[in-house]
Amino acid sequence: MTQQGVRWTADQVLALAPDAASRKAGSKLGAAGPWSEAGSSDEGTVWGLCKGSGSKPYQTVVDIADTAGPAYKCSCPSRKFPCKHALGLLLLWAGEDSAVPSGQAPGWAEEWLAGRRKRTEEKRAAGASASPAAADPEAARRRAERRAERITAGAGELEQRLTDLLRTGLASAEQAGYGLWEETAARMVDAQAPGLAARARELGAIPSSGPGWPVRLLEESALLHLLDQAWLRREHLPDDLAATVRSRVGLPAAPDGPPLRDHWLVLAQYDTTDPKLTTRRIWLHGTDSGRTSLLLSYGAAGRAPELALPMGLALDAEVSAFPGAGQLRAALGEQFAAPSPTTARPQGVTTAQAAVHYGEALRHDPWLDSVPVTLDRVVPTPDGDSCQLADADTDLALPLTPTARSRPGLWRLVALSGGAPVKVFGELGHRGFTPLTAWPEGAGEPVSLC
């Protein structure tokens, strides 16, 4: 349970925001002015009434003690989770104790909490009573075989398209435009290979995308060809690599690793969106095992994923790994306590060691875009029109990705450093390093850079 005396930091609250607009709007509501009847309980509930544009204030309640991460309820019409009112309430709670005093939750808050906990228990009971024997393994095998046949046919068609590209020359891709690859992607969707479809769609965006695009197109075409060939010869691959290939073409998989219980530090959380889906990536670090794991959560277009874990907190929980060579994705299992503050930090490496780690990871998964890395004692420094993270003790550095250079988090990193070394967690790929979280030297709270 969340103890009443343990408060989150404002940065941990704002890390829950689904986007920059919500972060800004929530910050404006983090003062006592618009709030009335705010309170909190020792069981981890925070509530309050927020004055809005209508005659009735918005009823906002947050269940911080939920082991799956904070749960929110607000009477406002927003479809974002958390909405700006929930963020503002948590910011108010994270500040002065007197602004959100301890007390008894009002009836409307208790009613929502009781209903939520009842539904949670019903889901657990339904899951416990479900019998694996109810599934028809023979029917599942036939469905898997039919899908594999469709993917194989799609992979063969994609190979022919790549062969045509090389025969006619890369310049033909610029003349053909995006429509050719969008049609190819649609064919891969029909073949039930969403992973191949996504990579085909990415090829269509490369021509005329800036200097050096033919090189990038050739590189990505080679990786797609490699994935095609790996699928067509999957029976000859080691089991772990074959599992990685199945995952890359888009076949679903269930976690098969034994549950690992640890105190998991939430390193970072951020969302990526497209017109149909919002994907939330949550990086965890096992403070006892030293293992890094990735949780993925999804939300339909316009809605944030349900799972939210505040950056910088730790949770006592089990995670189970997904199959595949060098795969870091895991599923969150049983949780034994709500997220709580911690002083733990991941062990860092030098920029040279980080580059070696990325190279080793590519041996297991050539289609890997990036790997999680914690850099120790680095200083953000200018590099012409760009920026890099330089080792404080050597003459080596890692460039930042274009995405990182365009984020406001870069300026937070520069301000945190002030020219002094910092510890930075992020993702390292072939385009550079994307910082996600940073810690100052010595004691100090983590700062989200997402």
Side-chain angles (χ1 to χ4, degrees):
M1 301 301 249
T2 298
Q3 295 178 357
Q4 172 64 23
V6 176
R7 303 276 169 158
W8 297 354
T9 66
D11 207 45
Q12 287 167 340
V13 172
L14 292 176
L16 297 171
D19 51 41
S22 298
R23 189 179 297 112
K24 182 178 180 180
S27 297
K28 293 180 179 179
L29 294 175
W35 292 96
S36 61
E37 300 182 26
S40 59
S41 71
D42 291 340
E43 288 73 29
T45 307
V46 185
W47 61 86
L49 302 176
C50 186
K51 181 176 175 57
S53 57
S55 58
K56 292 184 178 181
Y58 295 123
Q59 297 176 336
T60 308
V61 57
V62 182
D63 182 8
I64 305 168
D66 192 299
T67 54
Y72 318 94
K73 173 65 176 179
C74 185
S75 58
C76 75
S78 175
R79 297 181 63 191
K80 296 180 179 180
F81 293 95
C83 67
K84 63 180 181 180
H85 305 101
L87 290 170
L89 178 61
L90 286 177
L91 287 171
L92 189 68
W93 168 77
E96 297 292 332
D97 288 357
S98 58
V100 185
S102 179
Q104 179 66 38
W108 54 268
E110 287 284 7
E111 182 180 355
W112 174 74
L113 285 168
R116 176 177 175 77
R117 288 165 184 168
K118 180 181 179 182
R119 290 190 296 272
T120 299
E121 290 300 323
E122 289 174 347
K123 286 181 181 179
R124 287 176 180 169
S129 62
S131 173
D136 184 347
E138 180 60 26
R141 185 189 62 80
R142 290 195 298 269
R143 287 194 299 270
E145 287 180 351
R146 288 195 296 269
R147 182 170 185 178
E149 290 172 359
R150 284 192 287 268
I151 295 175
T152 297
E157 183 177 340
L158 186 54
E159 279 292 281
Q160 185 59 52
R161 185 60 56 88
L162 292 173
T163 300
D164 293 342
L165 173 65
L166 293 181
R167 186 181 65 251
T168 58
L170 298 181
S172 64
E174 188 174 26
Q175 299 167 357
Y178 187 77
L180 173 67
W181 293 106
E182 184 60 35
E183 177 190 348
T184 303
R187 296 285 293 170
M188 296 306 103
V189 171
D190 292 341
Q192 292 186 288
L196 295 179
R199 287 185 173 269
R201 198 171 283 116
E202 289 171 0
L203 289 184
I206 295 177
S208 304
S209 61
W213 70 261
V215 174
R216 294 195 297 275
L217 180 60
L218 187 60
E219 290 173 346
E220 294 302 322
S221 296
L223 284 173
L224 185 51
H225 167 70
L226 181 64
L227 182 57
D228 262 351
Q229 291 299 314
W231 169 262
L232 295 173
R233 293 168 171 79
R234 61 192 181 280
E235 293 86 358
H236 306 291
L237 299 177
D239 290 344
D240 280 350
L241 184 55
T244 297
V245 170
R246 288 194 294 270
S247 173
R248 290 298 182 185
V249 300
L251 285 175
D256 64 353
L260 173 62
R261 182 174 179 178
D262 205 335
H263 288 84
W264 296 94
L265 169 64
V266 183
L267 291 173
Q269 172 182 292
Y270 68 94
D271 294 350
T272 56
T273 60
D274 61 36
K276 296 182 179 180
L277 192 69
T278 296
T279 302
R280 174 163 295 164
R281 298 167 66 87
I282 303 176
W283 284 109
L284 303 179
H285 169 73
T287 58
D288 298 327
S289 64
R291 176 173 160 181
T292 301
S293 295
L294 173 65
L295 305 181
L296 294 180
S297 182
Y298 302 96
R303 299 189 69 89
E306 287 190 8
L307 182 62
L309 299 174
M311 180 274 302
L313 300 186
L315 61 154
D316 181 4
E318 293 179 339
V319 302
S320 298
F322 278 75
Q327 297 300 301
L328 297 176
R329 186 185 175 190
L332 187 60
E334 184 177 357
Q335 298 163 68
F336 304 96
S340 60
T342 179
T343 58
R345 298 184 179 188
Q347 184 177 359
V349 299
T350 66
T351 55
Q353 291 170 328
V356 170
H357 173 58
Y358 179 50
E360 291 175 345
L362 289 177
R363 289 192 306 170
H364 299 291
D365 184 355
W367 307 279
L368 195 63
D369 290 326
S370 62
V371 294
V373 171
T374 300
L375 299 175
D376 231 352
R377 291 182 53 76
V378 290
V379 181
T381 58
D383 179 25
D385 295 332
S386 183
C387 189
Q388 60 184 3
L389 292 180
D391 264 320
D393 306 311
T394 71
D395 58 354
L396 301 177
L398 288 176
L400 296 187
T401 60
T403 300
R405 298 198 298 268
S406 64
R407 285 179 175 174
L410 173 59
W411 299 109
R412 291 199 292 271
L413 176 60
V414 171
L416 178 69
S417 167
V422 291
K423 182 189 289 284
V424 182
F425 169 77
E427 297 172 348
L428 175 62
H430 65 284
R431 297 190 183 279
F433 185 80
T434 301
L436 301 174
T437 306
W439 297 261
E441 285 274 275
E445 298 289 343
V447 174
S448 174
L449 308 175
C450 300

